[in-house]
Amino acid sequence: MHQTSWMTSTILNRLSANAGMLLVRSLWDYCPEHMFIVRVEGPADFVIEAMNPTRQAMLGDEATYTGKRIEQLLPPPLCHGVIANLHRCVECASPIRYEEKGGYLDRDGICQQGHWQTLLVPITNQEGAVTHLFGVSRDMSLLPEQPVGAYSESKEFERRVHERTAELVAANEHLTHLATHDALTDIYNRRYLLELAELELRRASRYEQPLCLMMLDIDHFKKINDIEGHLAGDEALRRVARTILATVRECDLVGRYGGDEFLILMPETTATGAREIAERLRRTMTQTTPLTISIGIASLEPSDHFVVDLIHRADTMLLQAKRNGRNRIECAA
């Protein structure tokens, strides 16, 4: 029984935050196909990070390939074809299949000829950039000759490739959603919203564009929980989230900050525009639900370097709205 080495295990643990890698990890040690992970360093710059035990049996131990570039491991022209296909997978950011033929040096330094059918699956970070490629290869030259009319084993491999690709893509989409969205309201969670907000703040500062942040919460939310129960409180949070999404623009970032507090980041929006959106949201809440909300608004200032600067001012305005009677909007001057 093959066991993943400490170095490969470390790599897989680090990458397992990405959804697709969770499935890879469960298959890594025991799948009879050749598996490998490549780190994307540049348009034509790819570094081997790991290979499964099946691949190691062909090319050698980890020390012979980890951290090396494709051109250091495979001779031309084979390496050129491999690099071209890796680049193609990065460019289209979706799984691809290809075949390649050529010679390579095995773990004993002997030149071997191979014919491989390979599936490449891109692994992306939370910003959608392809950082790694996961590959599954089968050496077709080792398959026995198929009698005429028989079901080709390559067709069976192709079927399995399609199934595996669908599993990887579905798992990646599902777990990425879980990692970035609030489980109760299905809007962005605090961590991911703040990451996106920091990017928007830097962009707005760089191009000197207006930016506003809105913080709101539900009036008398504690009373809802105390009198009607926490299930009613949960439903109130979901109704507010749905109303926000139906009211704000597609470009606005909406997330749950904590408890009954919500944040809305509004790119390219002045204080006047943000107040109009806030008033439309406040009015919609009172007309379509039994709930009311209080809202605080802060605009980007030249001295703001982090999103927390806007959050602090918006929170101050929210507290002022509460003190002034609730169901109202206060905007920082």
Side-chain angles (χ1 to χ4, degrees), residues 212-241:
C212 283
L213 184 139
M214 185 188 306
M215 175 179 278
L216 64 92
D217 69 7
I218 303 173
D219 294 331
H220 305 294
F221 181 69
K222 184 177 184 299
K223 186 179 295 185
I224 296 175
N225 281 328
D226 291 344
I227 297 176
E228 301 181 43
H230 288 281
L231 290 179
D234 289 348
E235 179 56 27
L237 293 171
R238 285 190 288 265
R239 294 187 72 169
V240 170

Side-chain angles (χ1 to χ4, degrees), residues 8-27:
T8 302
S9 180
T10 300
I11 292 169
L12 292 176
N13 278 328
R14 180 165 56 84
L15 291 176
S16 63
N18 185 291
M21 297 310 301
L22 294 175
L23 181 58
V24 173
R25 192 167 169 77
S26 67
L27 300 172

